[in-house]
Amino acid sequence: MAFVRKELLQGTLELLILKTLSTAQLHGWDLAKRITIVSEDRLTLKQGSLYPALHRLENRGWIEAEWGVSDAGRSAKFYRLTRMGRRQLTGEKARWQEFATAMSNVLNMKESA
Amino acid sequence: MISELLRWLRLRWQSLFRPGLKEAELNREIQLYFDYLVQDHMAQGMSEQEARHAAHKEFGTTDQYREEVRDSWRPALAVDLVADFRFSLRQLRKSLGFATVIVLTLAIGIGASTAIFSIVNSVALQPLNYTDSNRLIELRHIRKIDQAEFTPNLEVVREFQKRVEAFSDIAGSTFMLGNLTGVEYPLRVYGNAVTINYFSTLGIEPMLGRTFTPEEEIEGKGDVLILNHAFWVAQFNGNPDVIDQVVLLNDDPYTVVGVMPPGFHTEAGAPKAFVPLVVGPVTPSSQFLFSAIARLNPGVTLEQAQSEIDILAGSLTQSDPEKWQDFAARAVPLIDFKVGQVRPTLFASMKLNSITSHSCLDSAST
């Protein structure tokens, strides 16, 4: 059970990152911040899960990185979606939405009195 | 697609050969995150010291996540390779006969391609290292009735030497095979017997000694030998005193008169030695040649030479219809001739390669 849970969470985390990077080219901190803001503080990414996920995605070729200068004038590693990553996002998003719909349908069954 | 592949290769390369670079980049990346975190805490009213403390606490004491990051760099490729290798070894042990066939197929395929490449390399890829090689042509004998192509015999070469003004010279060569004795290590010598003007037609000077003189094509005077460079080095230790030394070729004494410069190769590759093509009582018309090379006079085009050849062929036929019946000749630029000969071999080798690799792939997938 724990394994399934971890897999599910990891997949979800990757989907969150892919989706967020599809909106802009971001470095790690800004990416985590944006997810926190958009999810209205419900989802927070710590560096402990953020960086392994980023490097995993980079290694798979779904995102790519480039060193640039941050708003604060510091050198930062900016990530952006690759074409392969965009394809992956489309597929994953559809699967997740399907799963969410299914869950929602089941959870919304009328309960007997 | 290409850029994605390149990026992927770069990542693999870095993680395999420059792990330090990736580690330093990760440190910078995480340091930035840490500093932002500190700022964030300060924005919420903490002092810098408190903010740093909180950030450190949040980062925790374990570096577990760094290890996870490094895991993602580890190329799956290398791991897969090891696994593949083990798997194939197990498979091979299970079916030894099959494995033998595969190994033999590979061995023959690789061996054949290597052999073919060395021919292609010596004959076609190495440029013709002769003086003004663009003015050298190969003369071909054409049998008119079916356009079959041959190397002309020595008589044709002699006729053309006398009568074609487009040629400054024309030389012939043929194979020579002998047993070299009277030296420290007797051996079989694959060489060329060449007309005495052979080297001057190609425009090649000997590195040591001299080339052949006109009287050396007379029977009884042709007991002289010119060594090719590699053979001189291998057999005579590159000793310059070899000139005037007497060796036994097929039990006949031959005097070494010259050594050719390094890298000299003929249309037949790199013969070990040269002897004069002795005419003697053998009629020139029965003297088999494997190559007839002519040098065009300066300013003469291939077309001009060809029209002169056609006229000469016609007049030869007229003068002795029985002997010169069906005779024609063609001038082919030497470089085209050499490469043209090799081209089918090249294709054959490519086909062979694809056949062997296909059969290996097929067998691998079964």
Side-chain angles (χ1 to χ4, degrees):
Chain A
M1 192 61 199
F3 175 73
V4 173
R5 200 178 147 79
K6 195 186 164 210
E7 286 294 289
L8 181 70
L9 284 179
Q10 187 169 314
T12 310
L13 173 62
E14 288 173 2
L15 179 55
L16 286 173
I17 293 173
L18 289 178
K19 176 63 200 178
T20 311
L21 287 179
S22 76
T23 64
Q25 193 172 333
L26 299 163
H27 58 74
W29 173 266
D30 275 357
L31 172 70
K33 213 63 197 164
R34 192 172 283 216
I35 290 174
T36 309
I37 292 166
V38 172
S39 70
E40 295 168 340
D41 285 339
R42 288 187 191 92
L43 301 169
T44 20
L45 259 63
K46 299 285 188 210
Q47 87 287 344
S49 49
L50 174 67
Y51 285 104
L54 280 173
H55 284 259
R56 209 160 47 230
L57 292 173
E58 189 188 8
N59 198 38
R60 280 185 212 148
W62 296 353
I63 63 177
E64 59 189 356
E66 197 176 32
W67 285 89
V69 180
S70 76
D71 296 339
R74 302 233 347 230
S75 105
K77 196 175 173 190
F78 286 90
Y79 293 90
R80 69 161 168 261
L81 216 54
T82 64
R83 221 176 332 165
M84 222 197 322
R86 201 166 290 279
R87 272 202 300 275
Q88 194 64 28
L89 170 62
T90 314
E92 285 302 309
K93 191 175 153 190
R95 266 191 289 282
W96 219 95
Q97 277 168 343
E98 206 170 318
F99 176 71
T101 310
M103 281 304 286
S104 163
N105 288 350
V106 172
L107 293 178
N108 286 328
M109 280 190 293
K110 205 176 248 167
E111 294 174 12
S112 67
Chain B
M1 204 59 214
I2 298 282
S3 68
E4 278 177 7
L5 184 67
L6 285 178
R7 187 182 38 71
W8 185 85
L9 282 174
R10 188 170 49 90
L11 272 182
R12 294 296 187 206
W13 180 265
Q14 283 181 354
S15 52
L16 264 180
F17 300 109
R18 306 194 58 186
L21 179 77
K22 298 222 50 146
E23 198 70 39
E25 284 192 354
L26 180 64
N27 283 340
R28 274 164 73 196
E29 199 179 2
I30 289 173
Q31 184 62 49
L32 183 73
Y33 183 97
F34 181 86
D35 293 348
Y36 270 113
L37 189 60
V38 171
Q39 271 179 25
D40 207 41
H41 286 320
M42 282 165 73
Q44 283 162 21
M46 288 189 192
S47 72
E48 191 184 338
Q49 205 182 354
E50 283 170 337
R52 282 191 174 279
H53 188 70
H56 271 301
K57 213 167 146 187
E58 209 171 293
F59 262 64
T61 47
T62 76
D63 264 358
Q64 176 60 32
Y65 71 98
R66 282 174 181 272
E67 201 43 53
E68 274 184 56
V69 170
R70 284 181 208 121
D71 274 347
S72 74
W73 298 341
R74 226 148 269 155
L77 194 66
V79 179
D80 292 350
L81 267 181
V82 173
D84 279 356
F85 185 65
R86 285 198 184 134
F87 177 72
S88 3
L89 273 187
R90 278 203 302 277
Q91 293 297 107
L92 288 182
R93 207 167 44 196
K94 258 193 247 171
S95 44
L96 261 183
F98 181 65
T100 313
V101 171
I102 295 290
V103 170
L104 279 180
T105 314
L106 280 172
I108 293 169
I110 293 168
S113 334
T114 313
I116 289 166
F117 175 74
S118 38
I119 296 169
V120 171
N121 182 43
S122 66
V123 180
L125 297 182
Q126 287 182 27
L128 297 172
N129 53 355
Y130 312 139
T131 309
D132 287 338
S133 58
N134 57 338
R135 280 203 282 119
L136 291 174
I137 62 118
E138 175 80 26
L139 187 70
R140 304 297 289 158
H141 174 152
I142 308 292
R143 189 166 67 194
K144 277 201 289 196
I145 190 163
D146 56 358
Q147 292 293 305
E149 205 176 301
F150 307 93
T151 303
N153 61 35
L154 189 59
E155 185 181 14
V156 173
V157 168
R158 288 282 148 85
E159 283 301 328
F160 276 62
Q161 189 169 23
K162 270 186 285 185
R163 295 167 69 171
V164 178
E165 284 178 2
F167 296 160
S168 67
D169 216 345
I170 177 167
S173 65
T174 187
F175 296 108
M176 180 271 288
L177 180 58
N179 293 317
L180 187 75
T181 51
V183 290
E184 200 176 350
Y185 306 105
L187 80 165
R188 209 139 169 80
V189 174
Y190 296 87
N192 285 2
V194 299
T195 55
I196 46 120
N197 62 345
Y198 181 76
F199 300 104
S200 60
T201 303
L202 294 181
I204 294 286
E205 296 279 322
M207 191 186 81
L208 288 174
R210 58 171 178 87
T211 55
F212 301 130
T213 59
E215 59 268 22
E216 281 166 354
E217 73 172 16
I218 301 164
E219 186 163 50
K221 301 276 178 81
D223 49 359
V224 284
L225 189 69
I226 291 178
L227 306 174
N228 212 350
H229 190 269
F231 183 60
W232 172 62
V233 171
Q235 189 68 21
F236 299 91
N237 299 319
N239 182 2
D241 295 339
V242 76
I243 303 295
D244 293 336
Q245 197 174 313
V246 175
V247 295
L248 291 177
L249 196 62
N250 295 334
D251 291 331
D252 293 325
Y254 277 75
T255 306
V256 177
V257 296
V259 176
M260 295 315 287
F264 177 63
H265 59 271
T266 71
E267 27 336 304
K272 286 175 172 163
F274 303 86
V275 293
L277 186 59
V278 172
V279 185
V282 182
T283 55
S285 64
S286 65
Q287 177 61 59
F288 159 80
L289 294 179
F290 76 75
S291 172
I293 297 175
R295 178 173 287 281
L296 294 178
N297 269 320
V300 174
T301 66
L302 187 65
E303 291 71 30
Q304 286 165 345
Q306 185 61 53
S307 59
E308 202 184 337
I309 288 168
D310 293 342
I311 293 166
L312 173 60
S315 74
L316 283 172
T317 310
Q318 259 184 350
S319 67
D320 190 344
E322 206 175 318
K323 188 174 178 190
W324 297 99
Q325 188 195 8
D326 219 22
F327 173 80
R330 180 161 43 213
V332 186
L334 187 59
I335 181 73
D336 289 358
F337 183 68
K338 289 176 76 170
V339 176
Q341 274 184 326
V342 163
R343 202 169 284 140
T345 323
L346 200 63
F347 283 140
S349 108
M350 271 152 47
K351 268 183 198 145
L352 183 70
N353 277 341
S354 69
I355 288 167
T356 45
S357 44
H358 270 217
S359 51
C360 287
L361 277 179
D362 286 349
S363 7
S365 58
T366 47

